[in-house]
Amino acid sequence: MKKEIKKIALLTGGGDCSGLNAVIRAVVKAAILKYNYEVIGFMGGYHGLYTDDYIKMDLKTVAGIFHQGGTILKMSNKDNLFNYKTVDENGKTVYKDVSDIAIKNLKKHNIDALIIIGGDGTLTSARDFARKGVNVIGIPKTIDNDVPATEITFGYRTALDHIMLSLDALHTTAYSHDRVMILEVMGRNAGWLALEGGIAGSADVILIPEIPYDINSVAKTIFDRYNRGSKFSIICISEGAKPIDGDVTIKKIDKDSPDSVKLGGVGDILAAQLEKIVKPVTGQDIRVTNLGYIQRGGVTNTFDRVLGTKYGSHAVDMIDRNEFGRMVVIRNNHMESVRLEEVVGSGRTGQTSTGGARIVNPHGDLVNSAKDIGISFGD
Ligand code: F6P
């Protein structure tokens, strides 16, 4: 029998991206205006669910947030309630399952369904709550756009805009000084951000994890351009890119994060290599910019505002239809859903460094088009 829904809750978990507020706004508006549900939001992801830190959400709470990056509900990627870090009476760090406390809080507030917006770590816990009987709907988020079950995630296109504008800006200064400019971008083990951002920003070389690069091939592209009279070159490199004979560059290991391996710094390594090969021949300086967290913030663009609205309103329709234990996806530009059991865990929604994420096809149309217009992948 269909469950009557009166009150729902939502939370945002993991790392942020642009478009989260658009989803939150859509959930709250659709829940109130279409279904007359009551809505509360837990603060700081699962931490708020555990500590019962929440806000009542109404139309006023979500007024004026549509265009803003970040999330008004805040978020954390360190609060796995099934393996929660606490300190025991002897001051020793211990991990324990505190999920029952979270479920008690949901019961206390008479929550009929919980919308969880997050990456693989967050949605893995969503699946685990569903296994314990909580009526859960997952919404995937990542700027990396590597979730296999869905065509596109919100935040990705806004991040691409940042990359494109940064490459535009780097062009003018590269030209003025006859320099080689390297822009390192995010994306973990998927090269979508560097690939599409690099094409849009007119990069001469794009280096992505899916195509390990040969440093001599990268240098050859720079030399060819120099000899043709283009005395500057622009390289867009993924944080997960690696040389043919090497591995990814790890910035740090964060044991408290479900995605403990933090990538970063490959741009500097590439610069050091090119200093040795290119500079002695052409005299060009090599400079590196790491775009970093700028890619996750700023004003949400048109596409992500619309996409976030679609994800959010669809999740509320799923609650009405009692389609629980599922994640919202978009296929052929149509909103659908898949079972959380099928898509989370082992990095399959693309939020961990393990396999399973939707990655770039090195022989696909996008790479081929880029190659057709002379962009080098260092292969
Ligand atoms: O998955 C999104 C992402 O921004 C990646 O592109 C990046 O490697 C990672 O998150 C950074 O994570 P953190 O916020 O933990 O530093």
Side-chain angles (χ1 to χ4, degrees):
M1 210 184 68
K2 199 174 145 192
K3 182 178 168 54
E4 199 204 338
I5 308 292
K6 291 198 177 116
K7 191 169 178 184
I8 68 166
L10 75 157
L11 63 84
T12 49
D16 74 344
C17 67
S18 222
L20 282 165
N21 279 329
V23 179
I24 293 170
R25 171 181 178 266
V27 166
V28 172
K29 288 190 113 176
I32 294 172
L33 298 174
K34 188 170 176 187
Y35 295 109
N36 204 22
Y37 298 159
E38 259 186 81
V39 189
I40 66 167
F42 287 103
M43 297 300 295
Y46 287 119
H47 188 257
L49 183 58
Y50 173 55
T51 57
D52 199 23
D53 182 8
Y54 70 97
I55 55 168
K56 221 180 128 12
M57 303 194 80
D58 56 22
L59 297 178
K60 269 204 190 125
T61 326
V62 295
I65 65 165
F66 194 22
H67 63 290
Q68 287 170 5
T71 158
I72 56 164
L73 292 176
K74 301 201 175 187
M75 61 208 300
S76 148
N77 60 4
K78 294 204 166 108
D79 296 293
N80 177 359
L81 302 186
F82 293 86
N83 191 29
Y84 194 67
K85 188 179 176 187
T86 47
V87 180
D88 71 8
E89 56 283 1
N90 304 317
K92 222 179 114 202
T93 302
V94 285
Y95 290 85
K96 55 182 186 186
D97 182 348
V98 296
S99 58
D100 284 340
I101 296 174
I103 292 174
K104 230 185 245 163
N105 287 334
L106 290 170
K107 285 200 178 126
K108 187 175 96 186
H109 293 293
N110 297 316
I111 299 302
D112 297 309
L114 174 65
I115 295 179
I116 297 176
I117 309 164
D120 189 64
T122 306
L123 293 178
T124 300
S125 290
R127 176 204 61 193
D128 295 341
F129 277 115
R131 283 179 181 171
K132 292 187 91 166
V134 179
N135 294 330
V136 162
I137 307 277
I139 301 183
K141 60 91 228 160
T142 172
I143 62 165
D144 304 338
N145 200 32
D146 57 356
V147 179
T150 195
E151 271 164 19
I152 190 154
T153 46
F154 54 86
Y156 172 62
R157 291 279 182 92
T158 301
L160 283 184
D161 288 352
H162 285 304
I163 295 170
M164 180 188 71
L165 293 174
S166 304
L167 288 170
D168 285 353
L170 286 174
H171 265 87
T172 55
T173 175
Y175 172 84
S176 306
H177 292 276
D178 293 341
R179 279 176 170 166
V180 175
M181 288 292 186
I182 299 170
L183 183 71
E184 181 179 321
V185 301
M186 285 183 163
R188 284 190 213 261
N189 298 311
W192 298 108
L193 284 170
L195 177 57
E196 292 210 77
I199 293 172
S202 196
D204 306 300
V205 179
I206 296 176
L207 303 178
I208 58 175
E210 296 85 347
I211 307 178
Y213 67 87
D214 174 350
I215 190 66
N216 293 311
S217 164
V218 176
K220 183 175 179 306
T221 303
I222 297 168
F223 290 141
D224 288 349
R225 282 179 51 78
Y226 193 90
N227 294 334
R228 285 205 308 265
S230 296
K231 300 205 164 156
F232 70 93
S233 282
I234 306 286
I235 302 174
C236 185
I237 184 169
S238 292
E239 61 181 3
K242 48 183 178 282
I244 33 175
D245 48 359
D247 211 340
V248 289
T249 308
I250 294 172
K251 186 169 60 185
K252 69 170 183 170
I253 303 285
D254 184 352
K255 284 201 192 117
D256 290 338
S257 167
D259 300 306
S260 53
V261 178
K262 302 294 171 194
L263 299 175
V266 67
D268 291 309
I269 288 174
L270 180 70
Q273 289 173 316
L274 293 176
E275 281 276 346
K276 286 194 200 125
I277 304 172
V278 170
K279 192 158 183 191
V281 179
T282 64
Q284 288 163 295
D285 283 327
I286 325 285
R287 294 286 189 267
V288 186
T289 304
N290 191 332
L291 196 52
Y293 295 89
I294 286 169
Q295 292 161 93
R296 301 214 314 218
V299 173
T300 306
N301 75 7
T302 322
F303 187 89
D304 285 333
R305 291 184 201 190
V306 176
L307 186 64
T309 303
K310 286 177 9 181
Y311 269 103
S313 70
H314 192 77
V316 180
D317 282 340
M318 283 169 62
I319 289 180
D320 173 63
R321 295 194 296 265
N322 285 191
E323 289 174 15
F324 301 124
R326 300 182 74 84
M327 180 181 92
V328 188
V329 297
I330 182 163
R331 283 173 177 161
N332 297 322
N333 209 19
H334 188 258
M335 302 314 294
E336 295 173 16
S337 70
V338 290
R339 286 179 64 235
L340 278 165
E341 290 283 352
E342 283 166 34
V343 286
V344 301
S346 320
R348 272 180 291 162
T349 60
Q351 289 295 292
T352 70
S353 49
T354 54
R358 194 176 66 87
I359 58 171
V360 173
N361 176 358
H363 310 291
D365 288 349
L366 209 47
V367 172
N368 288 340
S369 294
K371 284 187 171 174
D372 288 347
I373 61 160
I375 296 174
S376 162
F377 285 81
D379 53 347

